[in-house]
């Protein structure tokens, strides 16, 4: 389980590494800190070494903090329904430990700063923990506001063809809790879930990632997105379905992104009841 959790976290961090928004924020922070030179870096380093110092420190502290937030969050809250705000605060505070260690190591290596005593180390930890908790909380609040602004209203959902099955009946006016498990750049509209060994591959309109959890638990956390289980290993969002296909007597659902997912015989009736024939 620990290996799987670490692997999942590394996959999520890899996805962030290709995010233009992530690099934009890192470079902006580096420029501001490099030019202003806080915490004595202006006096100790010239401009180019100072920029390099803050770029490396920003990347290192983000990596340590993000890994801690994801690992602590999964370890403590994997099986518990905890409000995202509470989760963000607790995991953010926990991230203060590795972030403080990274800052201490950088100051010792780059600035020849002495190893802090107990009082200074505690102050550094509290500062790092409060900053990490504030950023983690802000990320959750901003993501929640963005989702509320961009998600369509339930009343505008169409009625599926066929027997008059109302798709809107499957669309509770809430944000799927599963999205809180994804890296922020991937928190879009859910399109499908697929079981991969001990993981669930979560697909959204912004990308996909692996999450270490059971398929049944993942489907429970899709509340807020109208969808159907079509196979023991697959779930689809109804809004993502483009139509159906048949190959060698087998039924498939075609998604708008070009993916085709198989429909097992035990779920074929559910798919027909939803109006897909």
């Amino acid at each position: 389980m620990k290996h799987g959790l670490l692997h999942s976290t590394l996959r999520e961090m890899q996805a962030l590494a290709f995010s233009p928004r992530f690099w934009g924020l890192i470079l902006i922070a580096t420029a501001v800190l490099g030019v202003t030179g806080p915490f004595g870096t202006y006096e100790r380093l010239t401009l180019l070494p100072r920029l390099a110092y803050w770029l490396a420190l920003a990347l290192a502290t983000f990596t340590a903090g993000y890994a801690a937030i994801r690992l602590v969050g999964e370890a403590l809250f994997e099986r518990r329904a905890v409000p995202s705000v509470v989760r963000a605060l607790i995991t953010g505070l926990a991230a203060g430990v590795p972030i403080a260690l990274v800052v201490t190591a950088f100051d010792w290596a780059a600035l020849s700063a002495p190893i802090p005593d107990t009082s200074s180390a505690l102050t550094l930890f509290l500062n790092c923990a409060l900053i990490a908790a504030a950023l983690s909380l802000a990320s959750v609040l901003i993501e929640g506001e963005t989702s509320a602004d961009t998600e369509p209203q339930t009343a505008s959902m169409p009625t599926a063809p066929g027997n008059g099955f109302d798709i809107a009946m499957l669309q509770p006016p809430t944000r799927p809790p599963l999205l809180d498990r994804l890296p922020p750049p991937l928190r879009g509209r859910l399109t499908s879930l697929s079981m991969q060994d001990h993981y669930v591959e979560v697909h959204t309109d912004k990308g996909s990632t692996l999450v270490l959890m059971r398929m049944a638990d993942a489907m429970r956390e899709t509340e807020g997105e109208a969808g159907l289980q079509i196979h023991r290993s697959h779930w689809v969002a109804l809004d993502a379905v483009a139509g159906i296909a048949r190959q060698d007597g087998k039924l498939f659902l075609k998604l708008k992104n070009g993916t085709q997912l198989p429909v097992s015989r035990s779920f074929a009736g559910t798919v027909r009841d939803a109006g897909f024939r």
Side-chain angles (χ1 to χ4, degrees):
M1 290 292 289
K2 291 181 179 179
H3 175 75
L5 179 56
L6 180 60
H7 179 70
S8 176
T9 302
L10 291 175
R11 285 287 299 268
E12 293 167 2
M13 294 177 68
Q14 184 181 23
L16 279 176
F18 291 94
S19 168
R21 181 185 300 179
F22 165 74
W23 283 106
L25 292 174
I26 289 291
L27 292 176
I28 290 173
T30 298
V32 172
L33 295 169
V35 171
T36 58
F39 306 112
T41 56
Y42 190 89
E43 294 79 10
R44 298 184 184 186
L45 299 171
T46 57
L47 179 60
L48 289 181
R50 195 161 65 240
L51 288 170
Y53 168 86
W54 282 113
L55 176 60
L57 184 59
L59 290 171
T61 52
F62 173 84
T63 300
Y66 185 85
I69 287 173
R70 295 297 297 167
L71 293 171
V72 171
E74 292 297 324
L76 293 181
F77 308 120
E78 181 183 6
R79 305 293 183 188
R80 299 176 179 86
V82 178
S84 57
V85 171
V86 175
R87 176 174 177 147
L89 286 173
I90 293 175
T91 56
L93 290 172
V97 175
I99 292 176
L101 291 175
V102 169
V103 172
T104 299
F106 264 73
D107 287 349
W108 175 79
L111 304 178
S112 300
I115 301 299
D117 55 25
T118 302
S119 177
S120 299
L122 180 59
T123 300
L124 176 62
F125 160 71
L126 289 175
N127 288 335
C128 292
L130 290 175
I131 292 172
L135 292 175
S136 181
L137 179 60
S139 176
V140 168
L141 295 177
I142 291 172
E143 181 65 28
E145 291 178 0
T146 302
S147 298
D149 290 339
T150 58
E151 289 182 359
Q153 298 298 316
T154 301
S156 64
M157 292 294 292
T159 299
N163 62 354
F165 183 86
D166 190 1
I167 294 179
M169 292 174 62
L170 298 180
Q171 176 104 6
T174 57
R175 179 173 178 265
L178 183 60
L179 293 180
D180 293 331
R181 296 180 180 270
L182 309 185
L186 300 181
R187 294 177 187 172
R189 291 292 301 270
L190 290 173
T191 57
S192 65
L193 308 176
S194 294
M195 188 167 62
Q196 303 283 351
D197 295 326
H198 298 295
Y199 297 88
V200 173
E201 189 170 15
V202 182
H203 298 268
T204 72
D205 59 359
K206 295 183 179 180
S208 62
T209 189
L210 292 174
V211 179
L212 182 64
M213 64 189 307
R214 297 184 303 175
M215 184 69 173
D217 294 332
M219 289 190 296
R220 276 194 291 271
E221 293 192 9
T222 63
E223 180 183 1
E225 183 68 57
L228 292 173
Q229 184 177 8
I230 62 171
H231 189 280
R232 65 183 299 270
S233 300
H234 300 291
W235 173 97
V236 298
L238 295 182
D239 190 52
V241 177
I244 63 172
R246 288 183 171 84
Q247 297 178 8
D248 300 325
K250 296 180 180 179
L251 181 63
F252 293 81
L253 280 187
K254 298 187 298 183
L255 305 188
K256 294 176 181 177
N257 61 10
T259 302
Q260 285 195 170
L261 296 176
V263 178
S264 65
R265 292 183 179 180
S266 57
F267 290 99
T270 303
V271 170
R272 285 195 298 270
D273 290 342
F276 301 108
R277 300 175 183 276

